[in-house]
Amino acid sequence: MEQGTNKNKVYVVGHKNPDTDSVCSAIVYANLRGRLTGRPHVAKRAGQLNEETQYVLEHFGVKAPQLLLDLRVQVKDVELRKTKGLKGSESIKTAWSIMREQNLKALPVTRDEKLEGMITVGDIATSYMDVYDSDILSRARTQYRNIATTIDGQVIVGNEHGYLLSGKVAIVASSRPLMSEFIEQDDLVILGDRVEAQQLAVDLNVSCMVVCGDAHIPDDILEQAKEKEIVVIISPHDTFTVARLVNQSIPIRHFMTKENIVSFKMKDYVDDVKEVMARKKFRDFPVLDGKGNFLGFLTRRRLLNSRRKQVVLVDHNEKNQAVDGIEQADVLEIIDHHRLSSIETMGPVFFRNQPVGCTATIIYQMYQENGIEIEPVMAGLLCAAIISDTLLFRSPTCTPLDTATATRLSEIAAI
């Protein structure tokens, strides 16, 4: 399952040091394009609002657009690999089964969606190759339910939700005298159908008895085990197979990587992420939100498929006036009334430039051309933009079209 940003979102933004025309045109054009296309268009601002613009927005009860300072590609623009987190109590076998099924090299270990650690193929290899302690199951606080599931068995006596807290794992294959020498209280013993071995295990107060090959256990021994709160697990596998599998029941929290985990946030820029990745040997990097919740994995390959931000520029067409990182964005449209300048785009765009006194004048024309009735609040914003940009129709760039447009908009807005 993939996770990423809304692919259809388009930002509509004016120039740095925004004036009233830049901000109001972005708001109104985002409204128009949203109605025409059905895609979410979000108005943004590229700098701090001046007092005049703040007054206009407050007058019409319109919330100021959020600040957009950089259009570089961020982690939120990349499709993440969404992987469900495992609880630390899950067994090594469960983790390995999921990795093999989904062709993964790492899994997140979470608690209440917070990242606690990572379990990797390397960690699982360590659990097999570098563990020689017979008491590893008790040190890892292994749950009896995990043990039973791992060896394809079932708990027939005792509390399956309990934990092996002390003792070692021992295989019973010797005589009663020898057993008495190395089997101790609270051990987990693996044995077969020998009744005398089963009885001795109960007499020695082991904590858990694993009976292999679906062997018969006399009722009186089961009753004694129940009285002594000894967990009895029965498995269809032979002794060798059970002994080989039992370490896979260890909870992943015992082997997971907890320290020095390199993670990223959704707002991190891909340029910075690539630098970090180049210094690390990992394949999968967890992505977290601001509260530490695990959101998904980021990989080098997925960075190649990152999606550029899509943007519409209003009231400017100069690179030095545009939001930083504009060269990494997909510019879809430019609506402006200034001279042509230096901005470059990745591909062909819709570019509308008219010799009028205000971008707002052009945008109202586009409402009319598309047969869209403008709302009074939107009309008020455009009217204010024209009044501002034409210096109340006294600017040498003001045209009769600007004056006529402002007049019509004032009537619609009832101002």
Side-chain angles (χ1 to χ4, degrees):
M1 184 177 179
E2 309 294 337
Q3 174 173 319
T5 56
N6 187 337
K7 294 182 179 181
N8 295 321
K9 182 184 293 184
V10 178
Y11 296 133
V12 182
V13 62
H15 51 75
K16 295 179 179 177
N17 302 314
D19 57 12
T20 301
D21 184 26
S22 174
V23 174
C24 291
S25 292
I27 294 171
V28 180
Y29 194 62
N31 176 271
L32 174 62
R33 293 305 299 167
R35 293 172 64 180
L36 288 174
T37 65
R39 297 176 61 186
H41 285 63
V42 182
K44 296 285 186 176
R45 56 186 171 90
Q48 297 300 319
L49 299 179
N50 60 41
E51 291 184 4
E52 176 191 273
T53 307
Q54 289 179 7
Y55 171 80
V56 169
L57 296 180
E58 290 173 1
H59 178 82
F60 290 103
V62 176
K63 187 176 180 180
Q66 291 186 336
L67 188 64
L68 179 64
L69 295 177
D70 203 318
L71 283 168
R72 287 183 297 162
V73 180
Q74 295 172 280
V75 172
K76 66 181 181 179
D77 301 312
V78 181
E79 293 286 356
L80 303 180
R81 191 186 75 229
K82 185 67 174 177
T83 303
K84 186 177 180 179
L86 293 180
K87 294 181 180 179
S89 59
E90 297 283 0
S91 67
I92 291 289
K93 182 179 181 180
T94 298
W96 173 247
S97 297
I98 294 174
M99 287 182 183
R100 184 175 56 184
E101 180 183 334
Q102 301 183 18
N103 191 28
L104 304 176
K105 299 297 182 183
L107 286 171
V109 182
T110 60
R111 183 176 183 179
D112 297 329
E113 299 189 5
K114 300 288 191 300
L115 184 70
E116 288 192 316
M118 299 262 290
I119 186 74
T120 66
V121 171
D123 296 327
I124 293 177
T126 297
S127 73
Y128 277 93
M129 306 302 295
D130 295 340
V131 175
Y132 302 95
D133 302 329
S134 60
D135 63 348
I136 182 65
L137 265 69
S138 60
R139 288 195 292 108
R141 294 175 56 86
T142 306
Q143 197 170 27
Y144 294 118
R145 181 177 58 180
N146 274 10
I147 296 172
T149 301
T150 301
I151 61 177
D152 299 317
Q154 59 178 326
V155 177
I156 60 173
V157 171
N159 179 16
E160 66 174 11
H161 300 290
Y163 295 85
L164 181 64
L165 301 177
S166 61
K168 62 182 179 297
V169 175
I171 299 175
V172 176
S174 56
S175 63
R176 183 181 181 94
L178 290 176
M179 282 180 58
S180 301
E181 290 182 9
F182 71 90
I183 300 297
E184 299 174 315
Q185 182 176 333
D186 294 332
D187 284 351
L188 180 149
V189 296
I190 302 172
L191 39 74
D193 61 352
R194 291 170 53 201
V195 176
E196 64 172 358
Q198 297 173 6
Q199 184 62 60
L200 181 59
V202 172
D203 294 342
L204 293 174
N205 289 320
V206 299
S207 63
C208 180
M209 186 166 64
V210 179
V211 181
C212 304
D214 283 334
H216 174 70
I217 308 172
D219 291 341
D220 63 320
I221 292 179
L222 290 176
E223 189 62 33
Q224 293 175 58
K226 185 176 181 180
E227 291 176 359
K228 292 188 174 185
E229 298 182 347
I230 297 173
V231 175
V232 180
I233 300 173
I234 189 167
S235 170
H237 299 303
D238 58 67
T239 304
F240 170 76
T241 302
V242 169
R244 184 174 61 86
L245 293 176
V246 72
N247 267 18
Q248 296 182 30
S249 64
I250 297 173
I252 56 178
R253 72 162 70 90
H254 191 74
F255 289 103
M256 70 181 184
T257 301
K258 294 178 283 190
E259 306 294 334
N260 302 318
I261 296 177
V262 179
S263 63
F264 300 111
K265 297 291 196 303
M266 293 292 274
K267 292 184 178 181
D268 290 343
Y269 291 103
V270 167
D271 289 343
D272 302 327
V273 167
K274 288 180 178 178
E275 292 183 10
V276 175
M277 284 186 170
R279 301 192 298 267
K280 302 297 179 181
K281 61 181 180 180
F282 312 124
R283 282 187 54 177
D284 301 283
F285 296 83
V287 177
L288 312 177
D289 65 14
K291 297 181 180 179
N293 294 318
F294 175 78
L295 300 176
F297 278 126
L298 182 65
T299 64
R300 292 176 174 86
R301 180 178 63 84
R302 289 172 183 271
L303 287 182
L304 299 176
N305 299 321
S306 57
R307 182 180 178 85
R308 294 172 178 268
K309 290 182 172 64
Q310 296 187 318
V311 62
V312 173
L313 305 182
V314 295
D315 201 35
H316 70 295
N317 69 94
E318 293 187 37
K319 183 177 180 180
N320 62 1
Q321 289 187 359
V323 178
D324 292 341
I326 188 66
E327 65 280 354
Q328 289 191 21
D330 282 337
V331 179
L332 304 181
E333 300 180 41
I334 301 175
I335 313 296
D336 192 21
H337 69 113
H338 297 100
R339 66 181 178 87
L340 300 185
S341 190
S342 58
I343 201 163
E344 297 180 2
T345 63
M346 297 295 295
V349 301
F350 177 84
F351 189 179
R352 181 159 180 167
N353 186 283
Q354 292 180 227
V356 292
C358 183
T359 301
T361 300
I362 303 173
I363 291 176
Y364 181 59
Q365 277 188 309
M366 298 175 78
Y367 268 89
Q368 293 176 307
E369 292 164 1
N370 285 282
I372 301 294
E373 184 176 347
I374 191 169
E375 302 94 328
V377 169
M378 297 294 108
L381 293 178
L382 292 185
C383 182
I386 295 172
I387 290 172
S388 172
D389 237 29
T390 64
L391 304 179
L392 197 57
F393 315 118
R394 291 193 293 268
S395 169
T397 60
C398 181
T399 67
L401 180 59
D402 294 302
T403 304
T405 300
T407 301
R408 176 58 184 148
L409 289 169
S410 68
E411 294 171 354
I412 297 172
I415 53 174

